Structures are given as structure tokens and as C-alpha cells.
Amino acid sequence: IKWQYRVPDANGVVQTPMVINMTDDNNDGKIDQNDIPDVVFVDNNYTLNVLSGDKGTLIARTDASQKGENYRIYYNRHNEVGVADIDNDGIVDVMVGGIGTSLDKNKLYIMNLVKNEDSYQWVQKASVDQPAGTSFIQGGCCCAFTGCYWSDYHPTIANLDGSEYPSVITTQGILDGKTVKEYVDKGQS
């Protein structure tokens, strides 16, 4: 083992981490194959993390102070994250499902890692509601709190139609990669 990372205050990780270049390590102004790959995952505290692939040092993680609409966003630890530059802006987009005590918090979140001075932080780029009529899971055994809801998004990215932008394929349907707002196929066919 070259390195290992102990998640603070959590009992590990249950999802498969994703590896992708997310930081400009060689300071050439772009994130590409010449940079060190990073490791992205959600830990058992429902927190989104990114580690440097060469030493396993923490680059950034979400925390309880990062809130949206007056609630903490808990990220789904049971689904893998999707990673790709879906809108061709040169910044890697991380797609991760959320969980909450009501369905309005049960969204697919699109997150970006942004550098501020000498540190990085997660910034929410967008969120997409689960399409009406699709399934969700309610449970208490695997959640941070009783009565939570979460979706099984399992985002995967591929260019299905040869267009300029890839699509985000989820178990809830296929999202247009350019706008990341419209389900072009809601999985009903």
C-alpha cells in the first residue's frame, strides 16, 4: 500500500472512489493528463471528499457549514459519484445524489472544486430535481437520521448522440449535459 486515508469521524467508505484529474498540479493553467489524478468519494458521514492521488492528502471536503436552502446537504454514500467535464468549461463536474428528510432535498447535485488562493473548496454548480413519478427509497437503517429519503442516481457520463456535450445517465433518466436541467429521457420507455 502506497498510502491510505482515514476519514475523520467516520467508519470508512462504502462506495467505489472515482479517480480523475481535478487540480492544476503543474501550474500550467489547465487541468489535464499532465496533472496528478485525484480520488473523489463520499464517506460514511455523507461528506464529499477529494484526495491527492500521489500522497492521499485531503484537498477538500464538504462540511456541516456548507448548506443549501437552510439545511445541510447530505450526499448519498451508497452511490458512486459521476465525474466528467459535462459542459466543456474546463472544470470537472462531480455528480452526486443527495438525501434528506423530504423529497425536495433528494436531488442530483453537480459540484465543482474551486481554488481560492492556496486552498480548494466544493461549490454547488447546480442541482436537479428527481423527475416526477420516479422511484425513491425511504429508510432509517442506512441514513444519518430516521425518515430520510434518497435516490439511486448512479450517474454515468457518455456522449450518446455525438453532440458537443455528453449526457448524464442516471437510473432516473438521461440529463442533457449542456444545461444539466432537462431530462431528455425519463426512463419510461
Side-chain angles (χ1 to χ4, degrees), residues 166-177:
S167 298
V168 179
I169 304 139
T170 76
T171 56
Q172 307 301 321
I174 299 172
L175 279 166
D176 170 52

Side-chain angles (χ1 to χ4, degrees), residues 4 18 34 56 61 81 146 158:
Q4 64 181 355
M18 302 303 280
N34 297 318
R61 82 188 294 235
V81 296
T146 303

Side-chain angles (χ1 to χ4, degrees), residues 69 71 107-110 124-129 180-181:
E69 300 176 28
Y71 62 88
K107 301 179 181 194
L108 181 67
Y109 292 93
I110 294 85
Q124 181 179 316
K125 180 177 184 173
S127 66
V128 183
D129 291 327
V180 196
K181 295 213 181 272

Side-chain angles (χ1 to χ4, degrees), residues 5-189:
Y5 177 76
R6 293 211 182 270
V7 178
D9 304 321
N11 189 14
V13 177
V14 295
Q15 69 176 214
T16 303
M18 302 303 280
V19 177
I20 192 167
N21 294 345
M22 295 199 62
T23 55
D24 180 19
D25 300 301
N26 62 3
N27 296 314
D28 66 354
K30 55 189 172 191
I31 299 169
D32 58 20
Q33 70 276 4
N34 297 318
D35 297 303
I36 299 167
D38 302 303
V39 181
V40 183
F41 62 93
V42 176
D43 64 34
N44 284 352
N45 281 334
Y46 308 91
T47 303
L48 183 61
N49 299 267
V50 61
L51 307 177
S52 178
D54 60 346
K55 296 179 183 159
T57 54
L58 180 68
I59 295 171
R61 82 188 294 235
T62 57
D63 59 38
S65 68
Q66 292 183 304
K67 302 179 188 309
E69 300 176 28
N70 300 319
Y71 62 88
R72 175 182 175 202
I73 299 171
Y74 290 86
Y75 300 99
N76 193 335
R77 66 185 182 160
H78 298 286
N79 295 180
E80 292 74 26
V81 296
V83 291
D85 180 6
I86 59 174
D87 56 3
N88 297 331
D89 65 356
I91 299 172
V92 174
D93 301 301
V94 176
M95 279 82 24
V96 58
I99 62 174
T101 54
S102 64
L103 293 179
D104 65 323
K105 297 170 184 140
N106 184 18
K107 301 179 181 194
L108 181 67
Y109 292 93
I110 294 85
M111 305 291 289
N112 286 153
L113 187 65
V114 176
K115 186 171 185 177
N116 291 326
E117 309 262 332
D118 293 329
S119 65
Y120 287 88
Q121 71 178 22
W122 288 109
V123 174
Q124 181 179 316
K125 180 177 184 173
S127 66
V128 183
D129 291 327
Q130 185 170 331
T134 57
S135 63
F136 62 90
I137 299 169
Q138 180 179 12
C141 67
C142 301
C143 290
F145 38 83
T146 303
C148 72
Y149 295 88
W150 75 90
S151 286
D152 282 335
Y153 283 104
H154 297 279
T156 301
I157 296 85
N159 192 332
L160 299 174
D161 59 4
S163 69
E164 184 179 353
Y165 302 95
S167 298
V168 179
I169 304 139
T170 76
T171 56
Q172 307 301 321
I174 299 172
L175 279 166
D176 170 52
K178 181 179 179 183
T179 64
V180 196
K181 295 213 181 272
E182 298 177 29
Y183 277 91
V184 292
D185 181 346
K186 294 184 178 149
Q188 297 169 354
S189 57

